[in-house]
Amino acid sequence: SADLEKKLRPLVDAIQSGKKITFFNGAGVSTSAGIPDFRSPKTGLYANLAKLDLPYAEAVFDIDYFRENPKAFYTLTQELYPGKFAPTKFHYFVKLVQDKKLLKRVYTQNIDTLERLAGVEDEYIVEAHGSFARNHCIDCSEEMSTETLIEHMNNKDKNEGIPTCSACKGYVKPDIVFFGEGLPSRFFDLWDEDSDEVEVALVAGTSLTVYPFASLPAEVGKKTLRVLVNKENVGDFKAGKRRSDLVLLHDCDYVAEKLCELLNWKDELDAYIEE
Ligand code: OAD
């Protein structure tokens, strides 16, 4: 812990001097909310999909596979659907950074919307892999309301609970980005604006294996303070390590808490969590 405090010093100094934070979040920031990540060896989603009979784990989020076998995705969605989970300490830390006027942006790969639920404002959030907020037919693009989608999912007698389009009978899918699909234009537009202006890049809970998201930390300027908070060292923090990088191989809630202690923000963090 004394070691972590020492390592956090450059980050504390940067924050105290008014530098803004850009977050790059992955599934690891939500595991303490009870949502499994994807690639952790025993607990990750991809290690626990045997019951879905997939040709390979990532097929569950593959658009070509979905066209033929939508059932696997909808079986999984029953478990992962937003609404059942509460934000973590780390998410409230992001909200606290926002309220201190020190948030530049939150790029998140997560589809759980926990940044929103913690109170981070829309303008700051980039849901790089989409979200469950809207749904469209994969054939004719007709929109389906979330209310109707959930009705379909709950009605197992009709089409095994797989939502189908009222216009063309095609399968309907939430607007989360599958393998084989493009990322939302908001991701590219905002990264164009932000990439040169990142003062502090805080990368947390991600294996940095899925592109283009995984390349963002490598694209920030040489003056950016890059911080990795993750259980393992990954991506450009390994392959392209910079001298000023902070690599903190710890639990992200724990680091958020330590950081708040050092910044004298701990009472405010606790107050958000208790609300
Ligand atoms: P991964 O499951 O690939 O990586 C999660 C990382 O978080 C791993 O390196 C873990 O060691 C680490 N981790 C887990 N719990 C942690 C904790 N409490 N504190 C700190 N670190 C922790 O998840 P992502 O990198 O987010 O895409 O995966 C990227 C994309 O792959 C996802 O958005 C998803 C998936 O296929 C789509 O569905 C499009």
Side-chain angles (χ1 to χ4, degrees), residues 66 74 134-144 149 165 171-175:
F66 179 85
Y74 276 107
R134 299 176 71 192
N135 320 281
H136 290 90
C137 170
I138 60 168
D139 291 328
C140 77
S141 301
E142 175 94 346
E143 182 159 4
M144 178 181 277
L149 183 99
C165 177
Y171 296 132
V172 176
K173 173 186 133 324
D175 290 359

Side-chain angles (χ1 to χ4, degrees), residues 25-29 31-32 37-40 46 58 61 109-111 129 177-179 204-210 229-232 234 250-253:
N25 291 349
V29 305
T31 49
S32 69
D37 68 7
F38 296 90
R39 295 178 182 80
S40 281
Y46 292 146
E58 290 179 342
F61 295 117
Q109 297 167 91
N110 300 341
I111 52 181
H129 294 165
V177 179
F178 275 33
F179 293 106
T206 173
S207 62
L208 290 179
T209 49
V210 174
V229 182
N230 207 53
K231 287 191 173 162
E232 50 178 352
V234 293
H250 294 275
D251 174 77
C252 48
D253 287 343

Side-chain angles (χ1 to χ4, degrees), residues 24 30 45 63 70 84 117 125 147 149 154 172 181 187 260:
F24 300 89
S30 296
L45 202 54
I63 190 64
K84 301 183 192 171
L117 274 181
I125 302 177
E147 206 186 352
L149 183 99
N154 289 339
V172 176
E181 292 188 306
F187 169 84
C260 287

Side-chain angles (χ1 to χ4, degrees), residues 107-171:
Y107 288 84
T108 183
Q109 297 167 91
N110 300 341
I111 52 181
D112 54 35
T113 68
L114 293 187
E115 289 89 0
R116 280 173 200 286
L117 274 181
V120 180
E121 310 269 338
D122 199 53
E123 64 184 289
Y124 293 112
I125 302 177
V126 179
E127 285 162 338
H129 294 165
S131 83
F132 283 97
R134 299 176 71 192
N135 320 281
H136 290 90
C137 170
I138 60 168
D139 291 328
C140 77
S141 301
E142 175 94 346
E143 182 159 4
M144 178 181 277
S145 74
T146 292
E147 206 186 352
T148 309
L149 183 99
I150 291 174
E151 264 169 38
H152 277 256
M153 278 171 42
N154 289 339
N155 186 359
K156 294 282 177 298
D157 293 336
K158 196 181 156 204
N159 212 2
E160 297 185 274
I162 296 159
T164 49
C165 177
S166 61
C168 80
K169 301 277 170 252
Y171 296 132

Side-chain angles (χ1 to χ4, degrees), residues 21 26 34 46 56 65 93 107 109 144 159 218 238 265 275:
I21 305 183
Y46 292 146
Y56 57 99
Y65 185 79
F93 172 64
Y107 288 84
Q109 297 167 91
M144 178 181 277
N159 212 2
K238 237 165 113 177
W265 294 359
E275 260 168 33

